[in-house]
């Protein structure tokens, strides 16, 4: 319980103490977006690293050499809130997440999410969901990477849920590479024993880039399933 309190305090203090910086970034974002993206992403990575340290977890990252020096679509399995924390903490460049629309309910948190180019997906409204995907396509074309969890929600079992094919449109329409990402051990931190937080060995593996245009017609047709199989293979190879 002490670790949970410490994590909650770290996040709460950050959201409150960083309000002046947040307001400054919001006020100047129109004219200095590239600079502000860099500042916001570095600050969020910093607090996420502190949070990971507070959990006592060890993080092993492999495959970062596969990430090209260009905007990409990160596609990952989803088991825990700590997928986002550990994943973002180990990126070297700004990146936005596709998050569920319900996250917009939380003040300050939603502001920081917007500052790091997060998109809020309405899973119950197809029309609004399409608008979000189109926003993601536009962002990638303008140079910002996007991270998405195509299962749509956290899996409660060892098996991945089916990937939603529509989530792959960001890559198909923008022409960017898909970087498959496999997580293991993140749910051992919190979800397996709520409300306690325990140390875990978190493993993150970045796979080789997938370029949809280079795939066969059948693979393109079921791109979500194709990427899911790649991630499953990566997970099977982990310790």
């Amino acid at each position: 319980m002490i670790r949970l309190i410490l994590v909650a305090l770290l996040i709460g203090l950050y959201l409150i103490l960083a309000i002046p910086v947040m307001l400054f970034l919001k006020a100047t974002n129109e004219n200095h977006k590239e600079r502000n993206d860099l500042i916001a992403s570095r600050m969020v990575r910093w607090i996420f690293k502190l949070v990971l340290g507070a959990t006592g977890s060890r993080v092993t990252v492999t495959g970062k050499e596969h990430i090209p020096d260009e905007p990409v679509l990160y596609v990952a399995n989803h088991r825990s809130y700590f997928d986002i924390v550990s994943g973002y903490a180990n990126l070297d460049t700004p990146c936005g997440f596709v998050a569920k629309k319900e996250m917009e309910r939380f003040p300050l948190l939603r502001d920081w999410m917007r500052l790091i180019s997060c998109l809020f997906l309405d899973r119950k409204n197809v029309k609004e969901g399409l608008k979000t995907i189109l926003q993601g396509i536009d962002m990638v074309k303008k140079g910002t990477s996007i991270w998405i969890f195509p299962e749509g929600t956290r899996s409660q079992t060892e098996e991945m849920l089916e990937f939603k094919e529509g989530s792959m449109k960001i890559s198909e329409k923008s022409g960017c590479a898909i970087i498959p990402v496999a997580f293991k051990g993140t749910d051992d931190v919190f979800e397996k024993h709520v409300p306690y937080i325990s140390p875990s060995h978190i493993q993150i593996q970045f796979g080789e880039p997938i370029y949809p245009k280079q795939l066969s017609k059948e693979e393109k047709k079921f791109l979500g399933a194709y990427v899911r199989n790649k991630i499953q293979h990566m997970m099977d190879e982990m310790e």
Side-chain angles (χ1 to χ4, degrees):
M1 188 60 73
I2 292 175
R3 291 186 188 276
L4 176 63
I5 294 171
L6 181 56
V7 166
L9 280 174
L10 281 171
I11 296 173
L13 285 172
Y14 174 83
L15 291 175
I16 294 170
L17 295 178
I19 287 176
V21 180
M22 179 199 73
L23 293 175
F24 170 77
L25 294 177
K26 288 177 70 174
T28 61
N29 211 37
E30 186 174 342
N31 297 321
H32 301 281
K33 189 176 188 315
E34 187 174 341
R35 179 203 66 185
N36 290 0
D37 284 350
L38 192 60
I39 293 172
S41 65
R42 285 177 175 174
M43 291 184 65
V44 171
R45 279 202 301 271
W46 174 77
I47 188 61
F48 280 175
K49 286 179 179 179
L50 284 183
V51 167
L52 284 172
T55 70
S57 297
R58 177 168 61 95
V59 182
T60 300
V61 182
T62 57
K64 286 181 73 173
E65 69 275 7
H66 297 314
I67 304 173
D69 186 21
E70 59 189 46
V72 300
L73 177 67
Y74 295 99
V75 177
N77 64 307
H78 197 19
R79 298 289 301 277
S80 168
Y81 292 115
F82 282 91
D83 297 333
I84 298 169
V85 174
S86 59
Y88 200 88
N90 285 282
L91 290 180
D92 299 321
T93 56
C95 174
F97 277 85
V98 176
K100 58 185 179 182
K101 189 172 180 61
E102 289 80 358
M103 296 300 294
E104 284 190 297
R105 298 173 182 171
F106 304 103
L108 299 183
L109 179 60
R110 69 180 174 224
D111 294 298
W112 277 104
M113 291 177 73
R114 286 171 180 156
L115 283 171
I116 62 170
S117 301
C118 287
L119 300 173
F120 298 93
L121 180 66
D122 189 339
R123 296 171 294 178
K124 298 177 182 178
N125 188 318
V126 176
K127 186 176 180 180
E128 290 301 313
L130 178 59
K131 286 182 181 179
T132 303
I133 296 299
L134 291 174
Q135 279 182 280
I137 294 168
D138 186 58
M139 286 171 60
V140 170
K141 286 181 177 180
K142 290 179 178 178
T144 301
S145 294
I146 298 291
W147 190 305
I148 195 165
F149 297 102
E151 291 168 275
T153 188
R154 286 176 289 119
S155 174
Q156 304 297 317
T157 69
E158 296 298 322
E159 291 292 324
M160 276 190 289
L161 303 175
E162 294 301 315
F163 280 15
K164 299 184 185 303
E165 293 291 338
S167 60
M168 301 295 122
K169 294 295 182 184
I170 293 176
S171 173
E172 291 177 307
K173 299 299 184 182
S174 69
C176 76
I178 293 171
I179 302 295
V181 188
F183 285 98
K184 214 164 192 180
T186 48
D187 52 341
D188 290 326
V189 179
F190 182 62
E191 279 76 9
K192 284 187 176 179
H193 37 71
V194 176
Y196 301 101
I197 284 180
S198 298
S200 172
H201 178 203
I202 297 173
Q203 297 180 73
I204 309 171
Q205 183 176 340
F206 293 89
E208 295 183 4
I210 299 168
Y211 291 92
K213 290 182 180 179
Q214 297 177 3
L215 301 178
S216 68
K217 185 177 180 180
E218 187 68 15
E219 290 166 341
K220 289 179 186 177
K221 185 177 180 181
F222 300 103
L223 184 56
Y226 178 83
V227 178
R228 182 182 183 276
N229 288 338
K230 289 285 185 182
I231 295 173
Q232 185 62 63
H233 181 68
M234 291 159 62
M235 292 173 65
D236 293 341
E237 287 187 333
M238 288 179 173
E239 295 178 5

